[in-house]
Amino acid sequence: PAAFHSAVAVALPWWLALAQAGVTPVHDLWIAHQALIAVWFVHNWGEGRCLRQTGDRIGIALLAAADVALAVLLVAARAPLWLALIAVLWMPTWVLVYQRRPLTRLNFWWLVAMLLSGVALGQSG
């Protein structure tokens, strides 16, 4: 269920927004935008698992994989300043994971990080 939720809540709206903005497969950053959608799909999937059960190892692994993939994507897109800002937004997640506390109050930080990563990729082209 968490994967389907991620598809409906993250991937589909983002694809629709890209289509409305005129970002098509012939666009220079099409592959980067698709990678960003995939990263946030995986991140949201991990969020869903971690919100249902504190300490879910698969959910934590999905969050970590998404964070590393986003870092690589932003470095490849030559957006290191944006990566620094987003890394600051990741800190509450990893502090709570380390403390083995529920991640229930982090939706705002995840949303801000997602929006900033979209802006970063949009400005890198």
Side-chain angles (χ1 to χ4, degrees):
F4 291 123
H5 175 268
S6 298
V8 171
V10 175
L12 290 177
W14 209 321
W15 278 323
L16 290 173
L18 286 176
Q20 289 297 315
V23 179
T24 61
V26 296
H27 192 272
D28 294 338
L29 292 175
W30 173 255
I31 294 174
H33 283 288
Q34 298 307 306
L36 189 61
I37 291 171
V39 163
W40 284 106
F41 170 83
V42 170
H43 195 279
N44 191 268
W45 185 8
E47 293 170 22
R49 292 184 61 100
C50 288
L51 290 174
R52 284 174 187 66
Q53 180 181 7
T54 302
D56 180 34
R57 291 184 188 266
I58 295 173
I60 292 170
L62 290 169
L63 289 174
D67 287 355
V68 169
L70 183 58
V72 169
L73 180 62
L74 290 177
V75 167
R78 298 181 188 149
L81 177 62
W82 292 102
L83 175 58
L85 291 172
I86 292 169
V88 170
L89 295 172
W90 289 337
M91 292 305 294
T93 301
W94 296 110
V95 167
L96 291 179
V97 166
Y98 178 74
Q99 294 174 346
R100 298 175 193 254
R101 295 178 58 201
L103 306 179
T104 55
R105 297 184 192 152
L106 296 175
N107 288 333
F108 174 76
W109 301 113
W110 293 330
L111 176 64
V112 172
M114 182 171 61
L115 295 174
L116 283 179
S117 67
V119 170
L121 193 60
Q123 289 187 352
S124 68

